[in-house]
Amino acid sequence: MVIIAKHIHVTGIVQGVGFRPFVYGLATRLGLRGWVCNTSAGVEIEVQGQKSKVESFIHSLEVEAPPLAKIDSINIQDKLPDNECLTFDIRPSTTLEGAFQPISPDVALCVDCEHELFNPQDRRYLYPFINCTNCGPRFTIIKDLPYDRPATTMADFRMCDTCRTEYENPLDRRFHAQPTACPDCGPLVQLRYPSSNTPAVSNIELRMSAILKTRQFLREGKIVAVKGLGGFHLACDASNEKAVDELRRRKGRLGKPFALMCASLNVIQRYCEMNEEEVALLTGHKKPIVLLNVKEKNRMTKSVAPNMDTLGVMLPYTPLHHLLLNQTDLTLAKQAAPPVLVMTSGNISEEPIAISNEDALERLEPLADAFLMHDREIHIRCDDSVVRVESQKSKVEGRPTFDLRPSTIYLRRSRAYAPYPVALPFYTKPTLALGGELKNTFCLTRERYAFLSQHIGDMENTEVYESFEQNVEHLSRLFRVQPEIVAHDMHPNYFTTQYATCNTQHATLIPIQHHHAHIASCMADNKLDDRKLIGLSFDGTGYGTDGAIWGGEIMLASYADFERVAHLEYLPLPGGDSATRNPWRIAVGYAESLGLDITNLPFLESMETQAVDIVRQQVRKKLNAPLTSSMGRLFDAISSLIGIRNQVTYEAQAAIEMEVLSKSYLSEAKPYPFEIQNGIILLGELLKHVIQDVKSNQAAGFIGARFHHTVCAMAVEAAINVRQKTGVNEVALSGGVWQNQVLLDLTRSNLLCENFIVYTHQQTPANDGGLALGQAAIANFK
């Protein structure tokens, strides 16, 4: 009998996911000796025994790993057997200087814990903080690595004897589940009222009475601030139109759709269509907000998602959520609860979500009638992720149909996904990429890992700046990154540019052009090596190398550099940033610049003549009317011209509403004429024909459909032109405009029909939420 011994080093997400008890169980099952240990660099294993059993152990490490584990590498080295080793043990964790490893994101409540939560015979029956090795908070409670209870916000909760026994039993589901607790030793939930409404002497309802009272409040139409995994939500009954309208008024969120949390799939089916992939996302261990198509006849309150044909829906992902929404438990049935809740971020619009009880009571007091909170600290805020499933088929009339593998499109990558790294196809120096000004995320890279942060938000106020700085410091420490390179947007006035200049010492600062970063992000997302491809970078705004506002860019790009080979023609943006909130200004400015007559068009009827004349004067005199080649602004201009929206209350609102109206006309619509001259995509003919269609009383949806076909035709013709000159046959689509599903489907199908190889984002958002990944990649090649 041949006895061998191996030292095994495993990297990836292998802490906080049940990996050590899995290793322990596997080794004992095979009769092997040795030990397993968490370190700040991963998991270390020493194993010895019969050669065949050790080989079987190594094979099973990867193929039988726990469902939440994600193994990046297994390094195996021979060693001499230790005759004094008689058992297989789990050793205490150790810290290695400078070592790092990925961190598990937060995980939705697992099936086993959900069963125990609603089992009257279980000691954790209706306990709002039930969890195990397979579920519960991770990223949002970690203070440092390795991932052990003393390094989390659970450190102050001393386990009772029963919990301690489970925690120390390698064969128990709660072995080293760091947040594990029970009603006797763990966090408590409480219901508090704003100080101005109720005397302090009676402002706390403990345990189940807090849950039942909250259910009552929601049924009565009140707004409740609910503390979740990564921050507070503001919740109300989605079927109560007065409550939804009041939440909009208090929050200052006039038109942007609200997210919904539904009690079950059966409840979702009342309102939305779902395919297998969408059901898998809704019910999996991540449970993001999933955009679903609404059914034609549904009774959802219209003010939840005005003018939309989709709803953003999620299922409960914490035990507290389950307790608020459960419709079947006999104890909870004493107080009926709404089956659908609005669950929107606990903040005043554009501020970070509240995470501490004190912050919530102060900042959310004007917004909430009551606060359902608890005493488990949230160390780092993390908003809900937003995703959708891309179309399985993209169809082009008269041409072949391409069956595409369904995949997840990330609109916001945050809870349950961040900070899981993107694997890079090249090695990097320690790098900090600061991202963009809108939808900010930042990126830390080390070796072949790119750690993209959770959603930070729009860098519009001091509170977001502070959140950004706290997150940069926290993730840099967790992943042991001391940046040698700091990449930032080349816009001189962005907060991120100022941060790079003032807060990074002993690092090389590298400014990155915005749209180049978009294309590089798509390349890195698809694990492409450094080579030139055609980049179609379409978005709302980005600082160009000539100082103008770019956004409709056709590039020949690699990680190392780019060439701007074509773009939308420059047109004026009257009022600068104010025009982005008032699309009518863009429509009037474009028409004035191109010499087009818009007299008596319906969209001007609600506008004051003096205001319109001022915009025209700005364009003629070139006063506060910066030039732009932005595709996003072109969408705004068309939306206003055809009467969809003159003002917007959130980013891309006009374009999104035009997309919704366009869908039913796509099959009958044809592109408008346009021309590309010397790399400039001229827009005069397009806008002239749009105006003619408006004057002919064509439906806004029909004009919108023609416009979508036109943008597709522009993209394809520009790509063909570049291929004819260079021979390059690969195309990357990136930038926020490509989150338009209609445009994405049309363009990708037509490019495929022209035999292009097309890359779209697979792990990161196409919008500015993925920008930092591209910045980091470019900086390492520069």
Side-chain angles (χ1 to χ4, degrees), residues 544-565:
T545 55
D546 58 358
I549 302 169
W550 292 8
E553 312 306 312
I554 292 85
M555 295 178 163
L556 189 63
S558 64
Y559 293 122
D561 58 22
F562 75 94
E563 178 187 356
R564 189 191 194 198
V565 293

Side-chain angles (χ1 to χ4, degrees), residues 504-517:
T504 54
Q505 298 178 351
H506 312 299
T508 302
L509 302 188
I510 300 181
I512 308 293
Q513 202 284 318
H514 187 94
H515 301 94
H516 183 201

Side-chain angles (χ1 to χ4, degrees), residues 263-569:
S264 66
L265 281 177
N266 288 336
V267 174
I268 297 175
Q269 286 175 335
R270 299 176 193 171
Y271 307 103
C272 300
E273 306 286 352
M274 289 181 288
N275 59 34
E276 290 182 7
E277 292 76 23
E278 290 161 341
V279 169
L281 280 168
L282 288 163
T283 59
H285 65 264
K286 299 181 185 297
K287 289 189 170 59
I289 298 168
V290 182
L291 288 192
L292 301 174
N293 292 324
V294 297
K295 291 184 174 179
E296 284 190 17
K297 295 181 179 179
N298 74 82
R299 297 184 178 181
M300 178 53 62
T301 306
K302 298 303 180 186
S303 55
V304 165
N307 303 317
M308 295 292 102
D309 61 353
T310 58
L311 288 172
V313 180
M314 57 183 159
L315 288 174
Y317 58 84
T318 72
L320 187 58
H321 294 149
H322 281 273
L323 296 178
L324 290 179
L325 281 152
N326 181 273
Q327 306 290 307
T328 58
D329 182 82
L330 294 179
T331 300
L332 295 173
K334 295 175 184 176
Q335 179 56 61
V340 187
L341 297 177
V342 167
M343 277 285 196
T344 189
S345 53
N347 60 355
I348 296 173
S349 290
E350 310 311 329
E351 290 185 1
I353 54 173
I355 59 173
S356 73
N357 295 346
E358 295 76 14
D359 185 35
L361 288 168
E362 180 180 348
R363 281 203 291 137
L364 305 185
E365 182 177 358
L367 281 63
D369 299 308
F371 295 80
L372 185 63
M373 55 181 58
H374 55 77
D375 54 351
R376 184 180 68 199
E377 179 189 348
I378 299 171
H379 187 66
I380 207 76
R381 60 174 49 87
C382 194
D383 293 78
D384 291 316
S385 295
V386 184
V387 305
R388 71 162 180 254
V389 175
E390 70 173 335
S391 302
Q392 288 181 260
K393 294 184 177 181
S394 294
K395 299 180 179 179
V396 182
E397 188 174 348
R399 296 183 179 181
T401 296
F402 293 89
D403 290 308
L404 300 170
R405 177 179 60 84
S407 65
T408 302
I409 293 178
Y410 296 89
L411 307 179
R412 184 166 72 201
R413 183 183 183 270
S414 200
R415 177 186 57 78
Y417 296 94
Y420 186 75
V422 175
L424 297 173
F426 45 81
Y427 278 90
T428 66
K429 292 183 177 181
T431 302
L432 168 61
L434 298 173
E437 198 78 351
L438 301 178
K439 296 180 174 64
N440 179 270
T441 65
F442 60 88
C443 183
L444 292 160
T445 73
R446 180 170 173 173
E447 299 174 8
R448 285 178 176 261
Y449 286 112
F451 298 99
L452 200 62
S453 78
Q454 75 276 31
H455 172 76
I456 304 297
D458 295 348
M459 310 295 274
E460 294 183 344
N461 54 59
T462 303
E463 292 82 4
V464 181
Y465 299 165
E466 292 174 351
S467 177
F468 172 86
E469 292 173 340
Q470 291 163 4
N471 277 277
V472 169
E473 186 277 329
H474 180 59
L475 266 66
S476 297
R477 179 163 41 82
L478 283 183
F479 299 127
R480 313 299 196 252
V481 176
Q482 294 183 334
E484 296 178 15
I485 297 173
V486 174
H488 61 90
D489 194 281
M490 67 188 303
H491 196 299
N493 296 326
Y494 277 1
F495 166 79
T496 50
T497 302
Q498 297 165 18
Y499 178 90
T501 304
C502 301
N503 294 276
T504 54
Q505 298 178 351
H506 312 299
T508 302
L509 302 188
I510 300 181
I512 308 293
Q513 202 284 318
H514 187 94
H515 301 94
H516 183 201
H518 270 308
I519 300 306
S521 175
C522 186
M523 292 174 66
D525 193 333
N526 285 275
K527 297 182 173 59
L528 302 183
D529 57 16
D530 189 34
R531 58 179 182 268
K532 288 191 180 295
L533 50 65
I534 300 166
L536 304 182
S537 189
F538 293 173
D539 68 358
T541 186
Y543 191 79
T545 55
D546 58 358
I549 302 169
W550 292 8
E553 312 306 312
I554 292 85
M555 295 178 163
L556 189 63
S558 64
Y559 293 122
D561 58 22
F562 75 94
E563 178 187 356
R564 189 191 194 198
V565 293
H567 60 86
L568 294 184
E569 73 170 298

Side-chain angles (χ1 to χ4, degrees), residues 568-572 583-598 601 603 630-631 633-642 658 671-675 681-695 703 706-707 710-711 714:
L568 294 184
E569 73 170 298
Y570 281 134
L571 290 172
W584 72 268
R585 299 177 68 96
I586 307 173
V588 171
Y590 282 15
E592 181 69 23
S593 179
L594 294 169
L596 300 173
D597 181 16
I598 55 174
L601 285 191
F603 87 100
S630 167
M631 183 64 77
R633 301 292 78 82
L634 179 60
F635 268 83
D636 288 342
I638 299 297
S639 298
S640 180
L641 278 172
I642 66 180
M658 178 167 63
Y672 288 111
F674 66 93
E675 189 176 0
I681 303 172
L682 301 176
L683 301 176
E685 284 297 303
L686 161 62
L687 268 72
K688 183 177 79 174
H689 283 79
V690 167
I691 293 167
Q692 289 175 358
D693 273 356
V694 173
K695 290 181 176 179
I703 302 173
R706 290 195 69 184
F707 174 67
T710 307
V711 175
M714 290 174 178

